[in-house]
Amino acid sequence: MQRFKRNERQEALTSPSKITPNADTSKILESQLIEWKDLFNIWAHLIGAIVFSALPYYAYSLVRHRYALATLEDVVALAAFFTGVAVCFTFSSIFHTFANHSKRVWILTNQLDYLGIVIVIWGSSVASDYFGFYCDRRLQASYCLMVGTQPYTASQPCTNGEIRYASIAAIACGFFTLTSNFRSPAYRLVRFGSYSLLGLSAFVPVVHGIVNNGWQVQNQRMSISYFLGLAILNFTDLEYKLAMAGIEILIRGTREFASVTVLKRFLAHLLWPFDIFNFEVRICKAKNHAILTTHKGHKGSEFVRHYLRHAVSPSLLFQGGRLAIKFGKEKPNEFLVRVLQREEKLRLLEEYEGMGRLETAKPHISRPPSQREFRISSLACGNWDFIALEPHFHPYYYEVSMDATATFGDRYLFLRYTIKAGNDSLEMITYPSPDETDSETLIYSLLFPYSAIASMALDCKHDRAIVCTMTEAPKMWINGNRGIGLRELPLEVSTSCQVFHLRLSNPSDISQLLRLEGEGILPQCSVGRVRALELGESFLNQMAQLKVALDDPRHEFTFAVKFQIQKLAQNGYLSPRAVVALINFISIMQQKFGSSPTVSALRRLFQQLPYAGPLTKSTELDTRAVMDLLRQNIESVADEERNPSSDSQTNVFRIHRAEVTPTATYLAGPDPEAGNRVLRKYSTFSEYFLRVTFMDEDGETFYCDPQLKNAAIFNIRFAEVLINGIEIGGRRFEFLGFSHSSLRTQTCWFLAPFLHLNQQIDADTIITSLGDFSHIRSPARCAARIGQAFTETSVSVPVDPASVQVVKDVERNGRVFSDGVGTCSMSVLKTLQATQSPSTIPATVFQIRFAGAKGMVSLDTRLEGNILVLRPSMIKFRGSKDSSIEICGVASKMLPLVLNRQLIKILEDLNIPNNAFQQLQDAAIEELRNSVSSVENAAALLEKHDVGLATQTTWLVRKIHSLGFALSDDVFFRDLLDAVVLIQLQELKYKTRIPVKDGATLYGIMDETETLAEGEVYCSWIDKEGHVNCASGIVVVARSPALHPGDIQTAEAITVPQDSPLSWLHNCIVFSSRGARDLPSQLAGGDLDGDLYHVSWDKGLIPQSCQKPASYPRLPPLDIGRPVTRYDMSKFFVKFMEQDQLGRVATQHQVLADQHDSGTLHDDCIKLAELHSTAVDFSKTGIPVKELQLPINCRRNGRYRPDFMAPGRKVKIEKHGIIFESLKPDDPEDDDPRRVGEPRRCRFYESKKILGILYQSIDERAFFRELHERSAVLKDDFRLTQGVLAEVWEYVQAETRGLNWEDYAEEAVSMREAYDAMVLDIILQYSTHPTERLEEIEIFIGSVICRTGYRSKRQKEYMTGMKEKYDREVLSLMATMRDEEARGVEHEALLRSMACLYVGIEAPAERKERVEGGRKDTFGWIAAAACLRELEEYQEKRDVGPLKSLLGKLKVTGGR
């Protein structure tokens, strides 16, 4: 495959002309003769073919005249060997010469190349077997027959005509090589057997000959020593290892201003002729030289020696100087070399996959790089306006006379320009670094990701400009620090003005840009004239006019409507002037239909408005078109508002949201939010609460990294929002507080003041009402205590304060054994159990919040009456007047044990063998394979992973199957299974989450009865069948996250007598209250206030011995010496965002544990485990991890990471199923990171430890290919139909003859439209990027397919919110479908659900499509579940009714 690009490299070095993928053969031959060194393989093999073709004649003449006893057969045997080698060399030469002609020729010549290998093995074996058993004709005949010939038998001398080339193994291997069908996975075993037989034909005779004749005789006959030498090289990869040993090359003469990207592209053309494609360049500016590292040591040496001999070669001229190439003095970094080796493999794999995908696939043509840097004379930003039905760029900001350069990389556009600061205050724009030397000059760097460019236009007729319409603001740096806005451009403007106009200094550069667009480097562009207006009315004036219109008392807008109208302009959907033009129309809508339908109509509008641009039709965005959309929306949602809403559920509130980025504030919502203590107390004032999230421009969380220089973002931009608040719809929202979990997601609560019971309620009032915090002097601890009131709790249960008792903690040796755990009586437990769903198992363990206390409570049957027992370790503050128990968690079921990377790595270091993990992973993969072998297995898979609980999908699948309908023919069912299997496979490969059958994850509590001895645990759970189970014997116990090797311990699980109070407890692990140290504190510093513990009784995972657990001193929280204010807590919120290193420490621990031979036992990892503990407590102590505390290896090798941490193949959900893209090598120097300001991307090497082995053993694309080949459930696309629900409909109709469901058709259509609108709303809210929208099937199953194998923290949060919202809406929809009393009609629920089923399966042409890019089958499946449920009840009443009547008559008759 490396040779595939040979003539492309030569063409790139010698001529700018382009080689077409189907070039003429003579041109290809001509291109091969450019440089003899690059054609070594072709010529060496060609000369070898000629030599070995002539050798048979020489051998014939030599043998016949020199050896009188030589027979013709001797000559033929030698000739077989020479002929095999000649054919092999010939075919190889043909392949290397013509492989890059076209894809078809590549396949043909590649087959010939492999066929030549088969022939040379066959010929060599014939000669060696013939002469090796020259004196034993029987063995000679047997082995030659196995190889492919039969010289003669003992009874019949051999003649030349009787030598048969009817090879058994060789012909079979040749057949498989030339026949494409037999290369499929179905014939894997047959191919394996054939090639094994061919290999044995060369190996077995050698061993047999040595046994019979001895080493000396057989070595003389067969020259075994030469074959052994060759075998040693092959099996030990010695030759490969010597060739692939890395080398550092010194390159002198680089200029001070040289960039890594430009230098790499220059060197690439020098290195291609030496087969070096993957290399690393590091520039040392102080010494004006660079270091080049390559993993191909021998090729690198050839490169250096070549340019030592040709030091004055013109090809070394670079940026006005001449480079000097010399050998480096240092040994290359081991992990960098491994990175380059992996990238080389991925590059070859990409070439191979790219040629095998499509018949029309064209080979990649390398050529001199196109121009990528362009001079820019001016920059403007604004938005689009339509004047006389034509789109015009309307600038609100202009920067002229710029010294600017625009660089187009492979992933983004980079703009850099320098301006004079003038009279502006630099401090108002950026946070200067200490080494800032020139405050008069501002160097701006703007980063435009291609993924965030909605459209790009090239103005080739007027301004000669590039116009980019963005979906998000570009990232910005000012003098090397992250900036918060362009000069003189208010943040209110940058939120809405996302169109950037870059005027080219050289108009002729347009042709170069078109070339880049043609090469696929740029996003798709429109070419033509872009009309630009002069600077007009300022954006701020337009926004001021909009605010005046919103406050006009004639309109009487509710806040909810004001919020959506402001969002239209502030989020950039329409210009403020266009929104003002809609005010009167929206006011009439609200007066006629009410506030809620108007809000719903406006929210649908956000999904319907396209991004404005040169290709956008004016009829899509002018005032009349927008009014028409609003009119249609309000008419469709008016009826929906009359139906029961999921938001009417208790403990669910509709909360508005704001998203604050470095340059903008976006509005979102309102969305359902789980309740907390504060929201429940002020439940009728939920619209005065605002959920505010701080994030980067691309929506990702800010992470602490000193290289990023984000100080201005945190200390100016975010701090200003937290201090001054956010103004929306005439209300100013101010900082209120945050929970512990929301702190880590950089989210907090804001509040606008309101009147409640004639009292002014503001943020300070609410905090004062929560409890007494005056004694707390630490902002971090105070915020954590107040945050208890903002913790999401599912339900609140009133309790008599007189029933609460406080008992002492169990303490010993300075350890609190009862840290965070209490008990309750049976009566209190019954009260808590009453809040559970009837379908769940009544729990005996609950995680609660009560007043100022938090922790776990468990049943103690020894307590009588209504008693709730708390301990001092549970009480965090006093003074709360709240007397309700708030439930945070319920131990209603056993959670499965799933191993993660941290646990696996520690267990590996505790000498658990690799095959223990491999067997568990193989079992999980086999379960996924078996899921498609039958419908029951498929249903079991859906049930196991809680897919479709609200939609009752598992029940529906089993029901349809029981009716005899073929689910295997349904395209939606195929896609549903594909998506679920893929998500689970991604969990295995990219998160190494391996399920363990013999294990559980359980809440931890303490033994209140002192039954358990030190080192003992009681572990009990209830399975799905309702049986109580108890673990016994040695178990391994752990808690996540686990970084220290002592975070995994063993204990003895025991059973207890039936009359013991512990026997009442289930779905929990009970720890002993005896001993020198409590076990939970040994497990990553755990306690009993709600921590989950992993328990496994799998014998393969129990280590022989464990490491000593860690013991970290508790750090006292930072004390400011006075009561804490809201301002102090807001400052801590900023500090935490800026300095939280928890994720970074955990990541570096994973990297170093793989790089060090001793793994987690290494001192670096032990240090990181301690720092991780500090980082975990940062939210409560205010003490962060400092950069200098990290081990030096974090900075030295932290950028090189094991491959199991790498992103995976990109996945697309297409109409015909899931599509996997090629796995491309990492491109860390895509653009010069030094110029951009971001740290360089990580690079990945092949890990040799267990996590790498597990990762490398899974290939998603091969898995799915095999899955569909062996499936009894999934069929090929051409066999799929949409007919399963149609068959269900026919069945329902047949069972309900005479029932008139048509009266409910209009209501069903309304419900269908409401459902589509809800799905659209979820897509808009929970899609992490406008270009990567959620698919409807992902919403249906409640999980998101990772497009790159890696799911970010933000995606996880979105996925949880998405599932909760969809489940709520679906439960509400199902309740509406099955409502028996809405009209008071007999069989009403059945009739309504029948109408919904009909609407759900009607042909797409008969209904209006609403969801873009997704399939619309999900409503039909929900309706089918509701309909079949109702039909079951109808059939039971229909069939049982006459039977009861008959039994009644028989009873009367019998009585007579």
Side-chain angles (χ1 to χ4, degrees):
M1 292 302 298
Q2 293 181 6
R3 297 291 178 255
F4 182 79
K5 293 185 178 180
R6 178 186 300 104
N7 70 320
E8 303 166 14
R9 299 200 305 274
Q10 293 167 346
E11 184 72 10
L13 289 169
T14 57
S15 171
S17 61
K18 179 179 179 180
I19 300 175
T20 61
N22 292 293
D24 184 77
T25 303
S26 61
K27 293 183 178 180
I28 292 179
L29 288 174
E30 181 182 356
S31 68
Q32 304 298 342
L33 302 175
I34 295 175
E35 187 176 351
W36 69 269
K37 190 171 185 177
D38 198 37
L39 302 174
F40 175 80
N41 274 337
I42 295 177
W43 287 108
H45 291 181
L46 184 60
I47 294 172
I50 296 172
V51 170
F52 276 89
S53 296
L55 279 177
Y57 300 101
Y58 172 75
Y60 175 78
S61 61
L62 177 66
V63 172
R64 293 291 291 175
H65 294 86
R66 256 180 103 172
Y67 301 100
L69 298 179
T71 65
L72 179 61
E73 289 73 23
D74 297 337
V75 177
V76 172
L78 286 174
F81 168 73
F82 294 135
T83 303
V85 176
V87 170
C88 179
F89 279 156
T90 301
F91 286 172
S92 178
S93 180
I94 292 173
F95 168 67
H96 287 286
T97 304
F98 297 100
N100 59 346
H101 178 279
S102 65
K103 189 244 181 186
R104 186 185 301 275
V105 171
W106 184 90
I107 293 176
L108 175 60
T109 54
N110 182 253
Q111 290 174 335
L112 291 177
D113 193 24
Y114 279 105
L115 181 61
I117 296 173
V118 172
I119 292 174
V120 74
I121 294 175
W122 170 81
S124 301
S125 300
V126 168
S128 62
D129 294 345
Y130 179 82
F131 291 107
F133 300 98
Y134 196 82
C135 298
D136 192 332
R137 300 305 193 187
R138 180 180 58 82
L139 289 177
Q140 187 185 63
S142 300
Y143 283 123
C144 288
L145 175 64
M146 184 173 74
V147 179
T149 66
Q150 183 179 352
Y152 40 76
T153 65
S155 60
Q156 181 180 4
C158 176
T159 64
N160 189 41
E162 293 174 47
I163 296 180
R164 298 184 302 165
Y165 294 94
S167 174
I168 297 173
I171 289 182
C173 294
F175 179 72
F176 291 137
T177 300
L178 298 176
T179 307
S180 58
N181 291 339
F182 284 91
R183 295 198 301 271
S184 65
Y187 292 92
R188 184 180 289 112
L189 292 177
V190 179
R191 291 196 309 273
F192 174 77
S194 300
Y195 284 106
S196 297
L197 185 60
L198 183 63
L200 288 172
S201 68
F203 177 74
V204 174
V206 175
V207 176
H208 196 171
I210 294 174
V211 172
N212 282 4
N213 306 319
W215 166 263
Q216 187 172 359
V217 173
Q218 205 64 19
N219 183 43
Q220 184 180 10
R221 292 178 178 180
M222 303 180 74
S223 300
I224 301 174
S225 56
Y226 291 102
F227 285 103
L228 283 177
L230 182 61
I232 289 172
L233 288 176
N234 287 332
F235 282 105
T236 62
D237 281 337
L238 183 59
E239 182 182 10
Y240 173 80
K241 291 176 180 177
L242 291 174
M244 301 299 281
I247 184 174
E248 278 198 354
I249 299 172
L250 179 65
I251 302 177
R252 296 192 178 278
T254 57
R255 291 293 184 262
E256 182 178 313
F257 52 83
S259 74
V260 173
T261 303
V262 175
L263 182 59
K264 281 197 70 172
R265 288 174 182 160
F266 175 82
L267 292 174
H269 290 276
L270 301 181
L271 293 167
W272 282 350
F274 299 89
D275 290 338
I276 299 176
F277 300 92
N278 297 88
F279 57 93
E280 170 83 340
V281 173
R282 184 175 73 256
I283 294 181
C284 305
K285 292 187 173 297
K287 300 180 180 179
N288 286 338
H289 72 258
I291 300 295
L292 184 150
T293 305
T294 176
H295 64 293
K296 294 185 176 181
H298 68 304
K299 293 291 184 180
S301 299
E302 291 180 14
F303 168 74
V304 174
R305 286 193 291 269
H306 174 82
Y307 283 105
L308 284 175
R309 294 193 302 268
H310 303 84
V312 295
S313 171
S315 59
L316 294 177
L317 295 176
F318 175 70
Q319 293 185 341
R322 186 184 301 278
L323 300 180
I325 311 295
K326 298 183 178 181
F327 285 103
K329 298 180 180 179
E330 302 293 333
K331 183 180 179 181
N333 184 291
E334 172 194 354
F335 299 102
L336 174 57
V337 172
R338 290 170 63 180
V339 163
L340 295 172
Q341 290 172 352
R342 176 178 178 269
E343 291 174 355
E344 178 81 359
K345 290 182 179 180
L346 292 182
R347 184 185 63 82
L348 296 176
L349 180 63
E350 182 191 9
E351 291 181 7
Y352 178 79
E353 291 177 346
M355 299 182 64
R357 278 196 300 271
L358 297 172
E359 201 62 32
T360 57
K362 297 180 179 180
H364 173 73
I365 303 300
S366 300
R367 55 185 177 181
S370 302
Q371 178 183 346
R372 293 198 179 201
E373 292 190 357
F374 302 88
R375 305 297 297 177
I376 302 297
S377 61
S378 68
L379 164 69
C381 78
N383 55 26
W384 294 99
D385 268 348
F386 287 86
I387 301 176
L389 303 182
E390 293 290 337
H392 288 68
F393 169 67
H394 188 170
Y396 294 108
Y397 168 84
Y398 238 117
E399 194 70 70
V400 297
S401 302
M402 300 167 55
D403 179 19
T405 302
T407 304
F408 290 89
D410 295 332
R411 294 182 294 128
Y412 45 65
L413 163 63
F414 170 71
L415 179 67
R416 180 187 174 94
Y417 62 94
T418 303
I419 57 175
K420 295 294 181 180
N423 295 324
D424 298 319
S425 173
L426 182 62
E427 285 74 18
M428 296 301 296
I429 301 175
T430 184
Y431 194 80
S433 57
D435 58 349
E436 194 74 62
T437 57
D438 185 7
S439 61
E440 297 297 324
T441 301
L442 300 179
I443 303 175
Y444 280 80
S445 302
L446 275 66
L447 193 69
F448 299 83
Y450 293 156
S451 60
I453 298 179
S455 65
M456 178 179 286
L458 300 180
D459 182 0
C460 58
K461 295 185 178 180
H462 180 61
D463 278 344
R464 301 296 194 274
I466 309 163
V467 185
C468 299
T469 303
M470 307 295 296
T471 62
E472 64 192 39
K475 293 182 181 180
M476 184 183 310
W477 287 262
I478 305 174
N479 290 1
N481 302 281
R482 277 298 295 270
I484 58 175
L486 295 172
R487 186 181 66 156
E488 298 180 349
L489 182 65
L491 291 174
E492 295 87 344
V493 178
S494 62
T495 302
S496 307
C497 302
Q498 299 296 348
V499 183
F500 291 81
H501 184 282
L502 312 178
R503 181 172 294 163
L504 294 168
S505 299
N506 184 3
S508 63
D509 284 343
I510 283 290
S511 61
Q512 295 296 326
L513 287 168
L514 292 175
R515 180 181 176 185
L516 289 180
E517 197 266 344
E519 294 174 352
I521 295 175
L522 301 187
Q524 188 173 1
C525 300
S526 60
V527 182
R529 180 177 180 181
V530 177
R531 295 172 173 82
L533 303 175
E534 297 296 327
L535 281 172
E537 183 182 18
S538 72
F539 184 87
L540 290 180
N541 288 340
Q542 292 188 30
M543 286 297 295
Q545 294 174 13
L546 175 59
K547 292 179 180 179
V548 170
L550 288 176
D551 294 335
D552 191 332
R554 293 175 300 174
H555 299 309
E556 298 182 346
F557 285 127
T558 63
F559 173 77
V561 173
K562 283 184 179 181
F563 186 95
Q564 302 303 324
I565 295 175
Q566 183 171 333
K567 178 181 174 181
L568 263 178
Q570 186 162 320
N571 287 23
Y573 291 99
L574 296 171
S575 67
R577 183 172 58 249
V579 176
V580 170
L582 297 171
I583 288 290
N584 289 332
F585 181 79
I586 297 174
S587 177
I588 295 172
M589 282 173 49
Q590 178 182 291
Q591 294 172 14
K592 182 177 180 181
F593 296 96
S595 174
S596 183
T598 303
V599 169
S600 298
L602 286 167
R603 295 191 71 180
R604 291 190 184 185
L605 183 66
F606 301 140
Q607 305 154 8
Q608 297 164 331
L609 294 175
Y611 283 102
L615 300 180
T616 308
K617 297 179 181 178
S618 61
T619 53
E620 297 179 276
L621 286 173
D622 64 13
T623 302
R624 185 178 298 277
V626 177
M627 287 182 178
D628 288 340
L629 287 174
L630 283 172
R631 187 179 294 108
Q632 294 170 12
N633 292 345
I634 197 67
E635 291 173 355
S636 64
V637 302
D639 293 335
E640 300 167 13
E641 296 294 327
R642 302 190 186 99
N643 296 326
S645 171
S646 63
D647 298 330
S648 63
Q649 299 178 26
T650 58
N651 203 53
V652 177
F653 301 88
R654 292 182 66 83
I655 303 298
H656 293 91
R657 297 184 295 112
E659 297 172 347
V660 180
T661 73
T663 62
T665 299
Y666 301 98
L667 306 182
D671 299 306
E673 188 80 28
N676 55 50
R677 186 180 304 178
V678 177
L679 287 178
R680 277 192 292 271
K681 183 175 181 179
Y682 302 104
S683 57
T684 58
F685 297 91
S686 60
E687 68 175 18
Y688 287 87
F689 291 84
L690 184 70
R691 190 90 156 146
V692 180
T693 302
F694 297 85
M695 59 182 65
D696 208 342
E697 304 295 354
D698 55 6
E700 290 299 327
T701 304
F702 271 103
Y703 294 101
C704 176
D705 192 332
Q707 298 181 54
L708 297 180
K709 298 183 179 180
N710 289 329
I713 305 300
F714 297 112
N715 296 291
I716 297 180
R717 167 64 175 150
F718 291 171
E720 187 271 338
V721 173
L722 287 163
I723 294 170
N724 298 330
I726 302 173
E727 185 175 349
I728 305 172
R731 296 178 182 173
R732 179 164 291 278
F733 293 82
E734 56 186 9
F735 171 76
L736 175 60
F738 48 85
S739 67
H740 180 264
S741 59
S742 68
L743 174 63
R744 296 205 176 277
T745 60
Q746 302 179 356
T747 300
C748 58
W749 288 97
F750 276 44
L751 176 75
F754 59 90
L755 282 176
H756 176 59
L757 301 177
N758 296 323
Q759 179 186 5
Q760 176 82 1
I761 303 297
D762 58 18
D764 291 323
T765 306
I766 289 179
I767 291 175
T768 302
S769 69
L770 293 176
D772 180 14
F773 307 101
S774 59
H775 63 287
I776 302 177
R777 297 294 192 263
S778 168
R781 174 159 291 186
C782 185
R785 300 297 178 246
I786 294 173
Q788 290 180 211
F790 296 104
T791 300
E792 293 182 3
T793 49
S794 59
V795 70
S796 177
V797 181
V799 173
D800 183 1
S803 66
V804 180
Q805 300 180 2
V806 179
V807 301
K808 292 183 179 180
D809 275 303
V810 179
E811 298 184 63
R812 193 177 302 111
N813 300 327
R815 302 281 181 179
V816 181
F817 284 65
S818 58
D819 190 3
V821 65
T823 59
C824 66
S825 64
M826 180 65 77
S827 177
V828 172
L829 182 75
K830 293 291 186 184
T831 304
L832 299 178
Q833 289 177 342
T835 64
Q836 292 184 243
S837 170
S839 61
T840 59
I841 297 172
T844 56
V845 176
F846 289 84
Q847 184 184 17
I848 67 163
R849 299 286 187 271
F850 177 77
K854 56 174 285 193
M856 301 293 297
V857 291
S858 61
L859 171 65
D860 188 345
T861 55
R862 299 172 301 177
L863 299 174
E864 298 179 356
N866 291 328
I867 298 179
L868 174 66
V869 177
L870 304 179
R871 286 191 165 92
S873 61
M874 301 175 67
I875 301 172
K876 306 303 179 182
F877 63 89
R878 300 184 182 274
S880 174
K881 299 178 181 179
D882 190 272
S883 60
S884 296
I885 296 178
E886 298 171 299
I887 299 177
C888 304
V890 182
S892 59
K893 64 178 182 179
M894 177 198 75
L895 300 176
L897 169 59
V898 180
L899 295 180
N900 55 39
R901 289 176 179 170
Q902 295 167 338
L903 295 176
I904 292 172
K905 189 69 194 74
I906 293 177
L907 287 172
E908 179 191 28
D909 296 334
L910 295 178
N911 298 319
I912 298 298
N914 290 354
N915 63 350
F917 306 107
Q918 190 69 63
Q919 288 172 3
L920 290 172
Q921 178 171 283
D922 291 345
I925 293 175
E926 189 61 26
E927 182 181 8
L928 294 179
R929 287 196 183 99
N930 291 335
S931 67
V932 300
S933 62
S934 69
V935 173
E936 178 55 37
N937 285 355
L941 178 73
L942 301 180
E943 186 175 41
K944 178 179 179 180
H945 298 290
D946 295 335
V947 174
L949 291 180
T951 58
Q952 303 182 29
T953 304
T954 303
W955 177 87
L956 178 62
V957 167
R958 290 190 171 112
K959 180 65 177 179
I960 292 177
H961 182 59
S962 69
L963 295 174
F965 302 137
L967 278 161
S968 59
D969 293 334
D970 190 80
V971 64
F972 175 79
F973 185 65
R974 188 279 308 267
D975 290 349
L976 176 68
L977 273 187
D978 268 356
V980 174
V981 170
L982 175 61
I983 289 170
Q984 298 309 314
L985 193 67
Q986 288 180 329
E987 287 287 294
L988 285 170
K989 182 175 178 68
Y990 298 106
K991 302 299 290 183
T992 327
R993 291 181 55 81
I994 304 177
V996 180
K997 182 180 179 181
D998 295 333
T1001 300
L1002 304 165
Y1003 282 110
I1005 59 174
M1006 187 192 72
D1007 174 21
E1008 303 281 348
T1009 67
E1010 297 188 349
T1011 301
L1012 303 176
E1014 181 180 7
E1016 291 182 343
V1017 296
Y1018 173 66
C1019 183
S1020 171
W1021 69 93
I1022 299 179
D1023 57 27
K1024 294 181 179 179
E1025 288 73 30
H1027 302 140
V1028 178
N1029 300 272
C1030 296
S1032 62
I1034 301 299
V1035 296
V1036 61
V1037 189
R1039 171 183 168 272
S1040 292
L1043 281 76
H1044 191 278
D1047 288 343
I1048 294 180
Q1049 297 292 320
T1050 57
E1052 184 176 359
I1054 67 168
T1055 57
V1056 297
Q1058 291 186 356
D1059 60 350
S1060 170
L1062 296 182
S1063 65
W1064 287 81
L1065 303 175
H1066 50 255
N1067 297 328
C1068 63
I1069 177 172
V1070 184
F1071 294 101
S1072 173
S1073 59
R1074 300 180 178 182
R1077 179 179 177 182
D1078 58 309
L1079 183 56
S1081 70
Q1082 302 177 46
L1083 308 175
D1087 53 35
L1088 301 177
D1089 67 353
D1091 287 358
L1092 291 168
Y1093 293 87
H1094 309 299
V1095 188
S1096 175
W1097 47 95
D1098 187 323
K1099 294 182 179 179
L1101 297 179
I1102 299 176
Q1104 294 296 319
S1105 62
C1106 296
Q1107 293 290 316
K1108 183 180 178 180
S1111 180
Y1112 307 127
R1114 289 186 177 271
L1115 300 176
L1118 292 179
D1119 191 334
I1120 60 175
R1122 57 174 173 79
V1124 177
T1125 65
R1126 276 195 308 114
Y1127 175 75
D1128 296 324
M1129 289 186 288
S1130 68
K1131 285 179 61 179
F1132 170 70
F1133 189 86
V1134 173
K1135 177 183 177 181
F1136 188 87
M1137 286 192 292
E1138 184 180 14
Q1139 300 183 26
D1140 177 31
Q1141 302 219 52
L1142 182 63
R1144 184 182 179 200
V1145 171
T1147 299
Q1148 291 301 325
H1149 180 275
Q1150 204 169 100
V1151 172
L1152 295 188
D1154 185 84
Q1155 293 181 355
H1156 292 309
D1157 292 337
S1158 54
T1160 57
L1161 301 173
H1162 192 275
D1163 290 343
D1164 284 349
C1165 294
I1166 298 295
K1167 177 64 175 177
L1168 285 171
E1170 181 179 0
L1171 293 178
H1172 188 270
S1173 177
T1174 302
V1176 168
D1177 292 338
F1178 178 27
S1179 60
K1180 293 176 285 187
T1181 64
I1183 301 175
V1185 173
K1186 301 295 181 60
E1187 173 72 15
L1188 294 178
Q1189 292 178 277
L1190 298 176
I1192 187 64
N1193 283 318
C1194 291
R1195 297 183 289 274
R1196 182 179 299 162
N1197 294 328
R1199 185 177 164 230
Y1200 308 128
R1201 298 182 177 179
D1203 53 356
F1204 57 79
M1205 301 178 71
R1209 295 179 185 272
K1210 288 189 176 181
V1211 180
K1212 292 183 179 179
I1213 305 176
E1214 301 289 354
K1215 180 178 180 181
H1216 299 294
I1218 296 172
I1219 305 298
F1220 295 95
E1221 294 187 356
S1222 294
L1223 189 59
K1224 296 184 179 181
D1226 312 310
D1227 186 12
E1229 308 296 351
D1230 178 11
D1231 294 285
D1232 190 355
R1234 176 186 57 81
R1235 299 178 305 173
V1236 176
E1238 287 190 313
R1240 293 188 291 179
R1241 288 190 292 169
C1242 297
R1243 303 173 75 175
F1244 305 94
Y1245 59 85
E1246 282 192 2
S1247 171
K1248 300 176 182 178
K1249 296 190 177 181
I1250 182 58
L1251 292 175
I1253 294 170
L1254 295 172
Y1255 169 85
Q1256 294 150 19
S1257 65
I1258 298 177
D1259 184 337
E1260 315 100 301
R1261 185 153 63 177
F1263 174 87
F1264 269 88
R1265 189 185 303 119
E1266 181 182 357
L1267 191 74
H1268 284 265
E1269 288 175 353
R1270 63 182 285 184
S1271 171
V1273 176
L1274 308 179
K1275 293 187 177 181
D1276 297 327
D1277 289 335
F1278 69 88
R1279 297 167 63 188
L1280 292 171
T1281 68
Q1282 305 281 355
V1284 170
L1285 292 186
E1287 293 181 64
V1288 171
W1289 171 245
E1290 293 176 1
Y1291 165 75
V1292 172
Q1293 281 186 305
E1295 292 291 310
T1296 57
R1297 288 190 179 92
L1299 296 184
N1300 184 19
W1301 59 268
E1302 287 87 349
D1303 292 343
Y1304 293 85
E1306 185 176 346
E1307 182 181 352
V1309 170
S1310 176
M1311 294 172 67
R1312 170 64 191 243
E1313 291 177 347
Y1315 176 82
D1316 283 349
M1318 179 268 293
V1319 171
L1320 271 171
D1321 189 50
I1322 290 178
I1323 290 174
L1324 180 68
Q1325 179 182 350
Y1326 293 104
S1327 295
T1328 55
H1329 198 277
T1331 60
E1332 294 183 358
R1333 289 197 166 192
L1334 288 172
E1335 296 290 337
E1336 187 174 349
I1337 197 167
E1338 294 176 294
I1339 299 172
F1340 183 81
I1341 64 178
S1343 189
V1344 178
I1345 296 174
C1346 301
R1347 300 311 196 264
T1348 59
Y1350 171 77
R1351 184 178 288 127
S1352 67
K1353 182 185 295 184
R1354 179 167 173 254
Q1355 287 174 323
K1356 295 176 186 176
E1357 297 162 4
Y1358 274 30
M1359 187 173 70
T1360 301
M1362 175 198 74
K1363 180 174 175 58
E1364 291 176 352
K1365 179 174 182 178
Y1366 181 74
D1367 286 351
R1368 284 195 298 265
E1369 297 287 351
V1370 167
L1371 289 173
S1372 175
L1373 176 65
M1374 294 280 277
T1376 304
M1377 285 184 185
R1378 303 185 65 185
D1379 188 355
E1380 284 282 9
E1381 301 177 356
R1383 299 189 186 183
V1385 178
E1386 186 179 14
H1387 308 308
E1388 178 179 348
L1390 174 60
L1391 298 176
R1392 185 185 296 106
S1393 60
M1394 287 178 64
C1396 290
L1397 177 58
Y1398 173 76
V1399 171
I1401 64 176
E1402 66 179 347
E1406 298 177 15
R1407 70 174 185 266
K1408 182 178 180 180
E1409 298 292 344
R1410 290 180 177 270
V1411 183
E1412 297 180 1
R1415 198 171 288 108
K1416 321 299 188 299
D1417 307 274
T1418 57
F1419 181 82
W1421 279 70
I1422 296 170
C1427 184
L1428 290 178
R1429 286 282 194 188
E1430 291 297 326
L1431 182 62
E1432 275 190 347
E1433 296 181 9
Y1434 170 79
Q1435 290 170 329
E1436 183 179 353
K1437 293 177 182 178
R1438 181 193 63 187
D1439 298 337
V1440 173
L1443 180 59
K1444 284 185 177 180
S1445 176
L1446 178 60
L1447 290 174
K1449 291 180 180 179
L1450 291 174
K1451 184 177 181 180
V1452 171
T1453 303
R1456 291 176 182 175

